[in-house]
Amino acid sequence: MPVAPIAEVEVDPIIRAALERYLEIVSEASRYIPPEMQQTYGSDVPWRAVADLGNILRHAYHMTDLPALWRIYQQDLDPLEAVVKAMLADLDPDAPTLPAPPKS
């Protein structure tokens, strides 16, 4: 399924809520990655910023900047996904891989 363009996200509160929730889940999940794994696999990932994004979405939701969220979605999730996949592969090389979510 294709991803809605930002113009659609701007006018559809359901799509925007879905984007924000998706990023909130990613943020929360990042908090459970042990620091040594973060350093070993993703030393260039701004882990504190990833975790802090969830706080903004939960507590300062009235101040969220859609273009900034869209940039995160478009530019930052693929590198983060690659890091997490590498972590998972080393933890259990026989585990099946999940398909990536659709990108526009």
Side-chain angles (χ1 to χ4, degrees):
M1 173 164 44
V3 175
I6 190 168
E8 208 172 310
V9 177
E10 288 174 324
V11 297
D12 189 329
I14 293 173
I15 295 173
R16 180 171 176 152
L19 171 65
E20 290 177 1
R21 179 67 176 139
Y22 177 74
L23 294 175
E24 184 181 349
I25 290 168
V26 169
S27 170
E28 185 63 22
S30 76
R31 294 171 180 270
Y32 293 91
I33 298 171
E36 58 276 2
M37 289 185 77
Q38 290 178 354
Q39 185 60 40
T40 300
Y41 293 88
S43 60
D44 58 336
V45 173
W47 293 106
R48 179 80 266 158
V50 173
D52 288 346
L53 177 61
N55 290 333
I56 293 166
L57 292 170
R58 280 187 294 280
H59 304 293
Y61 50 85
H62 57 287
M63 297 182 343
T64 57
D65 176 26
L66 182 58
L69 296 179
W70 193 251
R71 273 191 309 279
I72 291 167
Y73 179 75
Q74 291 290 305
Q75 298 172 11
D76 299 333
L77 292 184
D78 285 340
L80 183 59
E81 180 183 18
V83 167
V84 171
K85 281 184 175 182
M87 289 175 180
L88 292 173
D90 282 352
L91 288 174
D92 186 358
D94 298 324
T97 59
L98 299 174
K103 287 281 198 165
S104 62

